[in-house]
Amino acid sequence: MSTTPIKHVAITGGTHGNELTGVHLLKHWRNNPEEICRDGLVTELHLANPKANGCNRRYLDQDLNRQFNWDDLSDHSLCGYEHNRAKSLNTLLGPKDAPRVDFIIDLHTTTANMGTTLVIKSDDALVVGMAFYVKQQMPEVTLFYEPEDRMSDNFLISLAKHHGLLVEVGPVPQGMLRWDVFDQTRQATLHCLDFLAAVRRGDEPDLPESLAGFQYVDKLKLPENERGELTAMIHPDRQDADYQPIKPGDPLFMTFDGNSINYEGTETLYGAFINEAAYYDQHIGLSLMRKIDIRLPG
Amino acid sequence: MSTTPIKHVAITGGTHGNELTGVHLLKHWRNNPEEICRDGLVTELHLANPKANGCNRRYLDQDLNRQFNWDDLSDHSLCGYEHNRAKSLNTLLGPKDAPRVDFIIDLHTTTANMGTTLVIKSDDALVVGMAFYVKQQMPEVTLFYEPEDRMSDNFLISLAKHHGLLVEVGPVPQGMLRWDVFDQTRQATLHCLDFLAAVRRGDEPDLPESLAGFQYVDKLKLPENERGELTAMIHPDRQDADYQPIKPGDPLFMTFDGNSINYEGTETLYGAFINEAAYYDQHIGLSLMRKIDIRLPG
C-alpha cells in the first residue's frame, strides 16, 4: 500500500451529541489508554461536540457532521454554534488543506437496524483497505461506499490527510448505551488501529481484491399532507429490514389509518437508515442503496 | 360498578414532547373523529406539552408528568415552563379539587421493551376495571399497579375526577414512530373508550375478580465513579428483558471494560423500564417490580 506513513490518528465521538456510545468509549479509553496504544501511532481522543452532548441533543444550531467542506470552513459569515465548532476542529485537527492529523475514525450510532456499518468516503487505498480489513475480522460488518473529493466532503473525517472512516452502529435509541452496540463499536475501532499499525510497520494484511457493499442512490421522504405534516410512517415490512431488498411494488409506508404505500421504482434496491430518528427533522424515511462490488485500489 | 356517570373524557399525548406516538395519534383522531366517537361520551384531544414537542425534547425545564400534585399546583413560586404548563392544564381539565373532566387517558412511549403497559395509579373500580377490560381484549398487555391518592399523585391523569389511565408502549426510540407501537397504543385507547361507553350505558363487561400484574419496589441507578460519571451500562442479559425475573446473583450491569455487576438482593423481582433513555439524566438503569395479584374493587 504505497501511502505516506500514518502517525497521527484521531478518534472522535459525540459529533452528534446524543449518540452516547462514542462519548463513553472516549471516556473509557482516556481511563484505559493501553487499549488504543499501538507502536508507531500517536492516537488522540476528541469529543467533537461537547455542548450538544451536554444538552443531550444531536446539535444546537446545525448538524456538525455536514459543516466540513472547504468553502463552508472558509466562510466566516456562517456563525451558528456548529459552524464555529467546525472551524475550531479544523484548527485542532487540520487545517484541511495541510492537515496535522493523518487519519480520523469518527464514531456514530443510528436508531436503524444497520448493525455495524463502515462508511467509506474516500477511494484512498488506506481507507478502503482498512474497511476491508475490519470486515475480514468482523464478517457481519456492512460496507457503505460513497467516495467524495476530500476538500468538498462535508464530514468531520475529511479534515484528515487520508480522510478517515465513519463507524455507524445500531440500532440504539439516542441518549442511551447498549452493550452490544458499545462493544461492536469498540471492536471495529480497535481493528482500525491494528490495521494502521500493521501498515506502518510494513506488515500489510492480505486483503481481497473486492468485496460486496452498498452505494447510496436516493433518499425517500415520509409522506406528508399539504400542511407538511406526516401522514404515514415506515411500513412494518420495512421496519428493522435495513440492507434487505426492496422490490418494485413492495410496501414502503403505512398511513396513519393503516393503508400501505408501495415502492414505485423499477429496480430492486436495498434500504438503509430506515426510520432513523435523527432524520425526522427533515421527514426522511429511508435511504435507497444499490449493491455493488467495492474494489481495493491498486 | 357504582360510580357516577362518565361523560367528559380527555385523551392527552405529547406530555413528554419527544414521545411522538401520542402526538400523531391525536392528529390522526382530529382528522378521523369517528374513530373515537362513542355514544354518551364527549371526548377531547389535548397535546399536553406543545412547546417541548416542537423542540423534540421530553421537557424544557422539568418533567411535566411530575407536576400535578395539589401542593405544586398551588405553589406559584414554581415558575418553570412545565410548572406553568401544569397550572394551565389544571385550569383546562380540572381544577383538580373539582374537575370538569371525568377521565384522562394519557399516551406515553418508552425505549424499554415493555410492550403495552397500563399504569394504574388509582384503586377506583372504574380505572382498575378499564385496565382489566383492555387486558381481556389484548392479553399481551401488562398491568402496573401503583395506586396513589389522587390529590397527592403528580401525574397528569390525576387531574380528572376518576383519575385515569397511563398507556405506556415500547420499545420505540424517542423522536420517531413505529407502526407496531402506534397501532398498539391506538387499539388500547379505543378499548378504553369502549369500556367507558359500556359502563355509561349500564352494559358493564364481565371482568375477572383479579389479574396478575406488577408493583413498583425500587429503582436501581447505573454505576457511577466518584465524579458522577457512568462506569457501566445495562448487562446484555437484562437488555430487552423487561418483566422477566431477576434472581439473586443475576447480572445487572456491564462495566465499560466488560465485567458483570450482579443483583445483590435476596428476593426474585422483575425488571421494568430497563435502559429507558429518558432516565439517563438521573442515571437510573431500571425499576425492580414485584409480581402481584390485582383485585377488582367490589
Side-chain angles (χ1 to χ4, degrees):
Chain A
M1 214 161 277
S2 57
T3 53
T4 53
I6 294 293
K7 184 170 179 190
H8 291 281
V9 181
I11 305 174
T12 52
T15 305
H16 296 133
N18 55 10
E19 296 178 5
L20 298 192
T21 302
V23 173
H24 287 277
L25 271 171
L26 294 181
K27 286 186 187 177
H28 168 66
W29 286 324
R30 269 202 195 102
N31 295 326
N32 300 274
E34 66 285 358
E35 198 171 309
I36 52 164
C37 192
R38 298 289 181 281
D39 284 349
L41 297 184
V42 179
T43 301
E44 46 194 91
L45 305 167
H46 297 291
L47 180 58
N49 198 340
K51 198 163 173 185
N53 176 240
C55 300
N56 193 31
R57 289 162 63 182
R58 183 173 175 89
Y59 56 79
L60 299 183
D61 292 334
Q62 45 276 128
D63 189 330
L64 178 60
N65 206 33
R66 303 292 183 274
Q67 307 308 325
F68 294 92
N69 86 47
W70 178 248
D71 290 346
D72 288 349
L73 287 173
S74 312
D75 182 350
H76 292 277
S77 72
L78 297 174
C79 55
Y81 180 76
E82 278 80 10
H83 293 141
N84 290 328
R85 183 70 189 151
K87 291 172 177 70
S88 169
L89 289 165
N90 186 44
T91 308
L92 177 69
L93 303 170
K96 188 162 183 167
D97 56 346
R100 176 181 66 80
V101 163
D102 297 306
F103 206 94
I104 298 174
I105 304 164
D106 192 28
L107 308 182
H108 287 256
T109 59
T110 172
T111 65
N113 187 26
M114 287 167 63
T116 300
T117 298
L118 302 178
V119 182
I120 306 166
K121 295 206 79 183
S122 167
D123 55 10
D124 185 307
L126 193 80
V127 181
V128 181
M130 178 190 279
F132 278 28
Y133 176 77
V134 177
K135 188 164 171 70
Q136 270 187 333
Q137 315 306 313
M138 301 172 71
E140 70 276 21
V141 157
T142 302
L143 305 182
F144 177 10
Y145 187 59
E146 193 64 31
E148 205 160 331
D149 171 66
R150 192 175 72 76
M151 295 307 277
S152 56
D153 185 13
N154 58 12
F155 274 29
L156 169 58
I157 52 175
S158 71
L159 286 181
K161 197 178 292 170
H162 291 275
H163 229 121
L165 205 61
L166 189 149
V167 180
E168 178 90 67
V169 188
V172 61
Q174 298 168 346
M176 62 169 250
L177 297 168
R178 281 182 67 109
W179 172 258
D180 48 3
V181 168
F182 184 90
D183 194 47
Q184 285 168 58
T185 309
R186 193 177 64 89
Q187 284 184 44
T189 308
L190 298 181
H191 290 312
C192 289
L193 295 176
D194 289 343
F195 175 78
L196 289 174
V199 171
R200 184 170 170 85
R201 68 174 177 264
D203 184 17
E204 295 189 11
D206 279 334
L207 295 173
E209 284 181 15
S210 76
L211 280 175
F214 292 91
Q215 191 162 41
Y216 172 81
V217 176
D218 199 5
K219 52 190 153 211
L220 296 182
K221 287 196 76 169
L222 294 164
E224 299 173 339
N225 64 18
E226 64 285 351
R227 293 187 299 282
E229 298 166 340
L230 290 185
T231 55
M233 65 196 87
I234 292 295
H235 193 281
D237 289 359
R238 294 280 81 68
Q239 180 66 49
D240 306 321
D242 296 81
Y243 299 128
Q244 298 301 309
I246 302 177
K247 298 187 293 294
D250 275 351
L252 285 180
F253 304 113
M254 183 81 102
T255 66
F256 290 171
D257 41 12
N259 295 309
S260 294
I261 297 174
N262 299 335
Y263 172 52
E264 293 181 347
T266 54
E267 177 187 359
T268 293
L269 294 170
Y270 296 78
F273 289 108
I274 296 174
N275 217 359
E276 164 56 53
Y279 299 158
Y280 269 60
D281 57 352
Q282 302 166 74
H283 287 183
I284 293 170
L286 70 157
S287 291
L288 292 175
M289 317 288 287
R290 189 173 286 126
K291 235 181 189 168
I292 57 163
D293 276 320
I294 307 171
R295 294 196 64 78
L296 187 65
Chain B
M1 213 162 279
S2 57
T3 52
T4 52
I6 295 292
K7 184 170 179 189
H8 291 279
V9 181
I11 305 175
T12 52
T15 305
H16 295 133
N18 55 10
E19 296 177 5
L20 298 191
T21 302
V23 173
H24 286 278
L25 271 171
L26 295 180
K27 286 186 187 178
H28 168 65
W29 285 323
R30 272 205 189 99
N31 295 326
N32 300 274
E34 66 285 358
E35 199 172 308
I36 52 164
C37 192
R38 299 287 181 283
D39 284 350
L41 298 183
V42 179
T43 301
E44 48 194 91
L45 305 168
H46 298 291
L47 180 57
N49 197 339
K51 197 163 172 184
N53 175 241
C55 300
N56 193 30
R57 289 164 64 182
R58 184 172 174 91
Y59 55 78
L60 299 183
D61 291 334
Q62 45 276 128
D63 189 331
L64 178 60
N65 206 33
R66 303 292 183 275
Q67 308 307 326
F68 293 93
N69 87 46
W70 179 248
D71 290 345
D72 289 348
L73 288 173
S74 312
D75 182 348
H76 292 277
S77 73
L78 297 174
C79 56
Y81 179 77
E82 278 79 9
H83 293 142
N84 290 328
R85 183 69 190 152
K87 290 172 176 70
S88 168
L89 288 165
N90 185 46
T91 307
L92 177 69
L93 303 170
K96 189 163 181 165
D97 56 346
R100 176 181 66 79
V101 162
D102 297 306
F103 206 95
I104 298 174
I105 304 164
D106 192 28
L107 307 182
H108 287 256
T109 60
T110 172
T111 65
N113 187 26
M114 288 168 61
T116 300
T117 297
L118 302 179
V119 182
I120 306 166
K121 294 206 79 181
S122 167
D123 55 8
D124 185 308
L126 193 79
V127 180
V128 181
M130 178 190 279
F132 278 28
Y133 177 77
V134 176
K135 188 163 172 69
Q136 269 188 332
Q137 315 305 314
M138 300 171 72
E140 70 276 22
V141 157
T142 302
L143 305 182
F144 178 9
Y145 187 60
E146 194 62 31
E148 204 159 330
D149 171 66
R150 193 174 72 78
M151 295 307 277
S152 57
D153 185 13
N154 58 11
F155 274 29
L156 169 57
I157 52 174
S158 71
L159 287 181
K161 196 178 293 172
H162 290 275
H163 229 122
L165 205 61
L166 190 149
V167 180
E168 178 90 67
V169 188
V172 61
Q174 299 167 344
M176 61 169 251
L177 297 167
R178 280 182 68 108
W179 173 259
D180 48 3
V181 168
F182 184 90
D183 195 46
Q184 285 168 58
T185 308
R186 193 176 65 87
Q187 284 185 43
T189 308
L190 298 181
H191 289 312
C192 289
L193 295 175
D194 290 343
F195 175 78
L196 289 175
V199 171
R200 184 171 169 86
R201 69 174 177 264
D203 184 17
E204 294 189 11
D206 279 335
L207 296 173
E209 283 180 14
S210 76
L211 280 175
F214 292 91
Q215 192 161 40
Y216 171 80
V217 177
D218 199 4
K219 53 190 151 210
L220 296 182
K221 286 197 77 169
L222 294 165
E224 299 172 341
N225 65 18
E226 64 286 351
R227 294 188 298 282
E229 297 167 340
L230 290 184
T231 55
M233 65 196 87
I234 292 295
H235 193 281
D237 289 359
R238 294 280 81 69
Q239 180 66 49
D240 305 321
D242 297 81
Y243 299 129
Q244 299 301 309
I246 302 177
K247 298 186 294 292
D250 275 351
L252 285 180
F253 305 113
M254 184 79 102
T255 66
F256 290 171
D257 41 11
N259 295 310
S260 294
I261 297 174
N262 298 336
Y263 172 52
E264 293 181 348
T266 54
E267 178 186 358
T268 293
L269 293 170
Y270 297 78
F273 289 108
I274 296 175
N275 217 358
E276 164 56 53
Y279 299 158
Y280 268 60
D281 57 351
Q282 302 166 73
H283 288 184
I284 293 170
L286 70 158
S287 291
L288 292 176
M289 317 287 289
R290 190 172 286 126
K291 235 181 191 169
I292 57 163
D293 276 320
I294 306 170
R295 293 197 64 78
L296 186 66

